Amino acid sequence: MILHIMQECHLHKLQKGPATDVLLNRDEGLKFYKQMKTIRMLGTILFELKKEKDLISGTVHTQTGQEACCIGIISALKLDDPIVTTYRAHGYGYARGMTLRSILAEISGRTTGCVKGKGGSMHIAAPRDYNFFGGFTILGSQGQIFEAFNIASLWNLPVMYICENNNYAISTPVKRASASTTFYTRGDFVPGIRADGMDVLAVREATKYCADYIRDNQGPIILVLMTYRYVGHSVNFPSTALYRTKEEEDRVKATSDAIHNLRDKLLTSKLATLQELSKIDADVKEELFEATELAKKDPLPDISETYTDVYCDSSGSPIKGCDPWTAYIYPD
Amino acid sequence: MATGVCAFRRLAFLSTKHRGFLNVSTKHRSCIFTRHSSGWNYLPQSPPEELGEATKMNLFQAVTNALDISLAADPTTIIFGEDVAFGGVFRCTVGLAEKYGKERVFNTPLCEQGIVGFGIGAASAGATAVAEIQFADYIFPAFDQIINEAAKFRYRSGNIFDCGKLTIRAPWGAVGHGALYHSQSPEAFFAHIPGIKVVIPRGPIQAKGLLLSCIRDQNPCIFFEPKILYRSALEQVPIKDYTLPLSEAEVLVEGNDVTLVAWGTQVHVLREVVNLAQEKLGVSCELIDLQTILPWDIDTVAKSVTKTGRLLVAHEAPLTSGFAAEIASTIQTECFLNLEAPIQRVCGWDTPFPHIFEPFYLPDKWRCLDAIKKMINY
């Protein structure tokens, strides 16, 4: 089925943008719907789980509202394209093929977590052959991005720099912090593109376009996806009331929700029926419930995990314990 | 020498005002105020016989030799940093770009955070990455990359990913005229970071063996090279490929009364203190070169202090929160009942690294000798 994407992309140093008439088949449409629904519901569950005492230590950043970004991006890439993300990464891992249980178990710090409970919500990662390096640390904003653009351009590196622009740096609106908000142009000599991050097909097309550009050996490219976070920055900051209005949130939800957007397309084009979509909703709920229950029952890591993987071997000196008589030696 | 005299006069005023703090005896002033970091001589070491044929190298040539061996033995080795392709500002990479090609030995932009970030990526992807930071003083823009990425990547990913093939080299320490930003010894900052190793050689033989160990170690390593020794330290260095163990201190001089611990340049200062203490005080000192700052060899130091009952740690970096503090704390825990006197730290003063007052700032042999006196008379 050929569908028309409403918004044309903004381009920087590019002649022609991604296609606006795109192909969507039933299987892919249903897959996208299920994946986005899963991430949306995962977000809701995580906010609920946070209220349960001692289940989740630390914070969790959900992708509620931004689902189209990770799903559209991953669908347009090959498995051997490595991905490095920020801490808002559950959907990327899930779309790359990680199980919900390994993600939920990681968030609640269990041995069955994807990184043995050592990374937590912000630092999930998949086994090496998934080429998903996981959530990195963005600790403070850094001018480093411009150095990265510079070297990537000088060396013609095959890199796609993706910005999910959800309009807020925790609570600071983009306009208050950036003299230039057209981030897709900020690479100067690096071409850029701005696409609708609330439309999974637009994201898929834009990512495909950028990937083709890179595979054509043309060097780095910047992709900015305009999106919106429906909830607080993290479960520790659930409220958005101090920095934006409910009207603003309602307007985005009513006019450009990514899941409604796809749902309408699937129904009006008769690629799926209402019953089918309702069935998916129920399945997603069931799968998440099961994964959550399993993760909750999974064991916590042994205390020895505190001091393993610091160094690769036992060549280091012992790690000191809480008292002068205790020292931990790395296992050989 | 005019500057030296001038410095002397100003310092004479200072020392009257703060005599207790400075603790400089009149007798030794003329030695302290020489206008360079001398006051010690490099004593060449004989190469271990089992390592076979040796040839004369200074410290920078020993570094070049180690890098050469790594490039030849491991086709994934890459070397990069500011100006390394033309040989580096200290000549440590001379001839390597010509020999191995600009694909493997190449310049980067002036961007330390980028150099280390690139090194982390390259090492994660399987390359043996040797990054040069032009001066240890310039490493701070890369602090975040080293601490938050390099040191934690393995732990954070439950050992799925790591950048253990990364080694960061940087010229380090006082050089006689480096002033604030070409003289610092930042090892203590990095000693606070589980997940990395920090290594400092005292001469060419160690530089080659320890650097090759760092390059081959499967943990990210920082290798600080005492830049004053680049040319001044000259000795017979084995030409073959060899490594020296990390996290092992070396007892250079055995003794019974006081344990002296240092690393890098300061080892040579303390070597002279060993002789001075014997000659002037009749005190027998045991000298230990720590070599690896993190994870450090507690056993060797603790065993020595168990025997001597006294410990002096000296380093060029400022006293407060310097690595001597960690050693002192650990040793008082391990050897509390063996100690005959409070552990002495003889270090740089708590000031920025001074320009013309460098000789006054450095923990020279007279300050060290004075600390030994205090311990013996305690």
Side-chain angles (χ1 to χ4, degrees):
Chain A
M1 170 71 69
I2 305 282
L3 294 170
H4 183 67
I5 293 174
M6 295 306 288
Q7 282 189 22
E8 278 212 33
C9 291
H10 293 246
L11 305 175
H12 171 65
K13 295 213 174 227
L14 293 165
Q15 296 302 320
K16 192 170 168 292
T20 45
D21 288 328
V22 302
L23 195 68
L24 178 71
N25 64 41
R26 180 182 139 86
D27 287 351
E28 201 174 24
L30 292 178
K31 186 175 125 196
F32 286 165
Y33 181 79
K34 183 177 178 188
Q35 287 180 325
M36 290 202 290
K37 223 29 207 192
T38 303
I39 298 164
R40 174 78 51 98
M41 214 168 277
L42 175 66
T44 312
I45 287 175
L46 289 170
F47 270 89
E48 286 304 311
L49 288 179
K50 183 64 189 173
K51 292 177 193 157
E52 285 188 38
K53 202 169 175 289
D54 297 334
L55 190 64
I56 298 176
S57 63
T59 193
V60 176
H61 305 76
T62 69
Q63 286 161 296
T64 312
Q66 301 181 210
E67 298 89 351
C69 296
C70 54
I71 300 307
I73 289 166
I74 301 284
S75 74
L77 297 177
K78 297 179 182 168
L79 186 60
D80 59 4
D81 294 328
I83 302 169
V84 175
T85 70
T86 70
Y87 46 79
R88 206 181 292 281
H90 306 151
Y92 287 95
Y94 166 69
R96 254 290 152 98
M98 292 169 68
T99 64
L100 289 171
R101 182 182 177 186
S102 77
I103 295 171
L104 276 156
E106 186 56 43
I107 294 168
S108 47
R110 312 285 153 160
T111 43
T112 45
C114 53
V115 292
K116 301 191 273 186
K118 292 186 148 182
S121 170
M122 294 183 277
H123 309 300
I124 63 166
R128 269 184 178 267
D129 47 359
Y130 285 66
N131 277 307
F132 175 65
F133 283 66
F136 272 63
T137 59
I138 312 293
L139 299 174
S141 186
Q142 299 160 358
Q144 178 65 24
I145 187 76
F146 298 105
E147 298 289 354
F149 291 160
N150 180 54
I151 209 78
S153 194
L154 276 171
W155 294 354
N156 205 41
L157 298 179
V159 192
M160 192 188 310
Y161 295 97
I162 302 173
C163 167
E164 282 186 49
N165 183 356
N166 68 17
N167 291 289
Y168 291 89
I170 301 189
S171 68
T172 310
V174 164
K175 279 179 190 160
R176 295 289 297 267
S178 293
S180 160
T181 57
T182 52
F183 296 152
Y184 66 106
T185 67
R186 296 272 294 268
D188 186 5
F189 38 81
V190 179
I193 170 171
R194 192 178 86 180
D196 180 6
M198 299 299 271
D199 178 348
V200 69
L201 299 180
V203 175
R204 186 191 67 179
E205 285 315 305
T207 309
K208 257 189 205 163
Y209 174 91
C210 292
D212 287 345
Y213 180 91
I214 289 165
R215 292 191 214 287
D216 200 26
N217 203 25
Q218 298 193 69
I221 191 165
I222 296 166
L223 170 60
V224 175
L225 301 171
M226 298 309 291
T227 184
Y228 199 82
R229 156 166 61 73
Y230 289 178
V231 292
H233 170 74
S234 70
V235 297
N236 288 0
F237 300 99
S239 170
T240 57
L242 287 172
Y243 55 89
R244 66 190 188 197
T245 61
K246 186 153 186 314
E247 288 72 36
E248 177 186 304
E249 289 180 7
D250 288 345
R251 191 171 61 244
V252 177
K253 286 178 193 174
T255 57
S256 44
D257 181 78
I259 295 177
H260 285 181
N261 186 332
L262 180 67
R263 184 187 169 92
D264 284 351
K265 277 181 182 154
L266 288 170
L267 292 175
T268 52
S269 62
K270 299 204 167 29
L271 282 174
T273 64
L274 199 56
Q275 287 82 351
E276 283 173 320
L277 297 185
S278 302
K279 168 87 171 40
I280 290 176
D281 291 353
D283 289 349
V284 165
K285 207 169 179 178
E286 181 64 26
E287 278 172 33
L288 274 164
F289 178 76
E290 271 175 31
T292 309
E293 288 309 302
L294 283 171
K296 274 185 185 174
K297 284 183 199 131
D298 284 336
L300 291 168
D302 187 77
I303 185 72
S304 66
E305 286 293 342
T306 311
Y307 51 85
T308 54
D309 303 331
V310 179
Y311 294 98
C312 75
D313 51 33
S314 57
S315 64
S317 58
I319 291 192
K320 293 171 200 171
C322 299
D323 59 65
W325 303 278
T326 316
Y328 301 103
I329 316 279
Y330 308 118
D332 282 320
Chain B
M1 283 309 292
T3 323
V5 172
C6 180
F8 173 83
R9 284 191 186 136
R10 273 182 261 166
L11 283 166
F13 162 72
L14 271 173
S15 62
T16 316
K17 198 173 166 193
H18 302 289
R19 190 171 288 278
F21 166 63
L22 295 170
N23 207 8
V24 178
S25 68
T26 320
K27 192 173 146 196
H28 298 131
R29 263 185 203 153
S30 58
C31 298
I32 293 173
F33 300 130
T34 46
R35 181 73 179 88
H36 50 76
S37 311
S38 66
W40 52 271
N41 293 304
Y42 186 78
L43 183 67
Q45 202 187 324
S46 307
E49 265 178 36
E50 67 273 17
L51 293 178
E53 200 188 332
T55 188
K56 203 168 231 188
M57 292 183 206
N58 61 26
L59 198 143
F60 84 69
Q61 289 162 334
V63 168
T64 315
N65 188 233
L67 297 174
D68 193 346
I69 287 172
S70 182
L71 284 160
D74 174 359
T76 72
T77 302
I78 50 171
I79 292 172
F80 50 91
E82 293 158 14
D83 307 305
V84 299
F86 97 112
V89 293
F90 286 104
R91 317 312 292 147
C92 292
T93 50
V94 165
L96 298 177
E98 290 80 355
K99 193 169 172 186
Y100 296 98
K102 298 219 164 200
E103 298 288 304
R104 297 184 63 194
V105 181
F106 49 88
N107 289 345
T108 63
L110 304 190
C111 176
E112 287 74 17
Q113 190 183 19
I115 292 169
V116 174
F118 172 78
I120 292 167
S124 306
T128 299
V130 185
E132 178 178 306
I133 298 294
Q134 203 160 65
F135 283 85
D137 311 62
Y138 305 173
I139 207 166
F140 298 106
F143 211 47
D144 175 56
Q145 288 293 319
I146 295 170
I147 287 166
N148 285 323
E149 307 295 354
K152 297 177 176 51
F153 199 15
R154 183 189 302 277
Y155 192 81
R156 183 181 83 205
S157 66
N159 207 24
I160 296 176
F161 299 107
D162 68 82
C163 58
K165 287 170 173 288
L166 172 67
T167 302
I168 301 163
R169 297 175 39 244
W172 165 98
V175 70
H177 48 258
L180 289 84
Y181 303 111
H182 297 81
S183 307
Q184 295 175 81
S185 304
E187 67 273 16
F189 289 103
F190 298 98
H192 203 53
I193 317 300
I196 56 173
K197 295 190 177 182
V198 182
V199 179
I200 306 173
R202 70 170 180 278
I205 295 173
Q206 289 71 34
K208 179 176 170 183
L210 291 171
L211 178 54
L212 279 167
S213 290
C214 285
I215 291 172
R216 288 165 188 171
D217 191 90
Q218 291 305 305
N219 299 289
C221 295
I222 299 180
F223 190 76
F224 286 128
E225 299 160 3
K227 57 177 139 0
I228 197 169
L229 301 179
Y230 273 142
R231 287 166 194 275
S232 64
L234 199 64
E235 66 197 10
Q236 292 288 327
V237 178
I239 54 175
K240 69 180 281 195
D241 181 347
Y242 66 94
T243 56
L244 294 171
L246 302 183
S247 292
E248 274 186 31
E250 190 180 340
V251 179
L252 297 181
V253 179
E254 292 195 9
N256 299 313
D257 303 327
V258 182
T259 300
L260 310 180
V261 173
W263 47 91
T265 321
Q266 193 65 16
V267 170
H268 308 294
V269 176
L270 290 189
R271 202 193 277 276
E272 305 218 338
V273 173
V274 171
N275 298 334
L276 272 177
Q278 188 65 56
E279 191 183 303
K280 301 207 180 278
L281 309 171
V283 169
S284 155
C285 296
E286 180 146 306
L287 174 60
I288 297 177
D289 176 6
L290 199 62
Q291 301 194 110
T292 301
I293 310 303
L294 185 75
W296 65 289
D297 183 355
I298 299 171
D299 280 359
T300 299
V301 180
K303 268 180 200 147
S304 175
V305 177
T306 306
K307 176 173 71 173
T308 62
R310 298 176 187 88
L311 173 64
L312 179 152
V313 189
H315 57 60
E316 291 178 6
L319 177 84
T320 302
S321 292
F323 196 65
E326 173 60 32
I327 297 176
S329 166
T330 303
I331 294 302
Q332 72 87 19
T333 305
E334 297 287 335
C335 310
F336 188 64
L337 296 176
N338 301 94
L339 287 173
E340 302 285 347
I343 296 167
Q344 294 292 308
R345 293 180 287 156
V346 184
C347 306
W349 305 119
D350 283 348
T351 67
F353 197 102
H355 179 209
I356 52 167
F357 293 153
E358 175 173 330
F360 164 74
Y361 167 91
L362 289 173
D364 70 359
K365 57 189 172 190
W366 305 111
R367 273 170 62 194
C368 294
L369 186 68
D370 197 60
I372 291 175
K373 248 189 239 172
K374 264 190 200 157
M375 280 194 284
I376 296 294
N377 297 333
Y378 182 76

